[in-house]
Amino acid sequence: MAIPTPTDIKLHQTSRKLEIAFTDGARFELPFEFLRVYSPSAEVRGHGPGQEVLQVGKREVLINAAEPVGLYGINFFFSDGHDTGIYSWEYLHDLGVNQAALWDEYLKRMEAVGASRDPGISKMFEQRPKAK
């Protein structure tokens, strides 16, 4: 079976979403934050199992630009300076298909370490002392 390729790609800055349609009829809206925290770069994924780096504080990230890479993918230039990692068409399709499960996994990992999706905020600073 051939790998689906995009038939339409749109960056929506106001909603902070990538809208992408594929040759197999699939259409996804992928939030910029989701794309950033699941970047295929070594900076995020590491160089092997167990070396992944949890991305925190990315709720407000934007995609400032996108650039095609050959006929197989795209590179995004994020507002936090991240610009490595090629998003192949196959990887973007997989992100779309598995978006709900991946997002749930990400939120659970964030909760487990007390991290926040908001820039510069740690949950330990959000907690207030209990009244005695």
Side-chain angles (χ1 to χ4, degrees):
M1 185 173 164
I3 295 170
T5 56
T7 57
D8 191 31
I9 300 174
K10 295 177 185 167
L11 290 175
H12 298 285
Q13 295 298 334
T14 302
S15 63
R16 297 177 191 206
K17 290 181 181 178
L18 168 76
E19 182 181 354
I20 186 166
F22 287 91
T23 52
D24 67 350
R27 177 177 290 276
F28 306 108
E29 287 187 359
L30 304 173
F32 294 171
E33 177 185 14
F34 177 72
L35 291 168
R36 176 60 179 86
V37 302
Y38 278 102
S39 169
S41 70
E43 175 187 328
V44 173
R45 296 176 105 177
H47 293 283
Q51 295 183 358
E52 299 85 0
V53 177
L54 182 63
Q55 302 298 300
V56 300
K58 303 301 180 188
R59 184 188 307 263
E60 298 176 11
V61 74
L62 296 172
I63 294 177
N64 292 331
E67 184 175 273
V69 179
L71 298 175
Y72 62 92
I74 194 166
N75 186 25
F76 296 116
F77 297 84
F78 292 92
S79 60
D80 66 353
H82 183 73
D83 62 2
T84 59
I86 298 169
Y87 293 76
S88 69
W89 305 138
E90 182 176 19
Y91 185 63
L92 284 169
H93 192 274
D94 288 345
L95 286 177
V97 168
N98 299 299
Q99 181 178 1
L102 289 169
W103 188 248
D104 187 53
E105 176 186 317
Y106 172 69
L107 294 178
K108 286 178 180 173
R109 289 175 55 211
M110 294 283 283
E111 183 69 27
V113 299
S116 174
R117 293 172 51 212
D118 294 309
I121 295 177
S122 172
K123 280 196 174 184
M124 67 180 166
F125 296 116
E126 293 175 355
Q127 297 174 355
R128 295 176 188 228
K130 293 181 182 177
K132 293 183 182 182

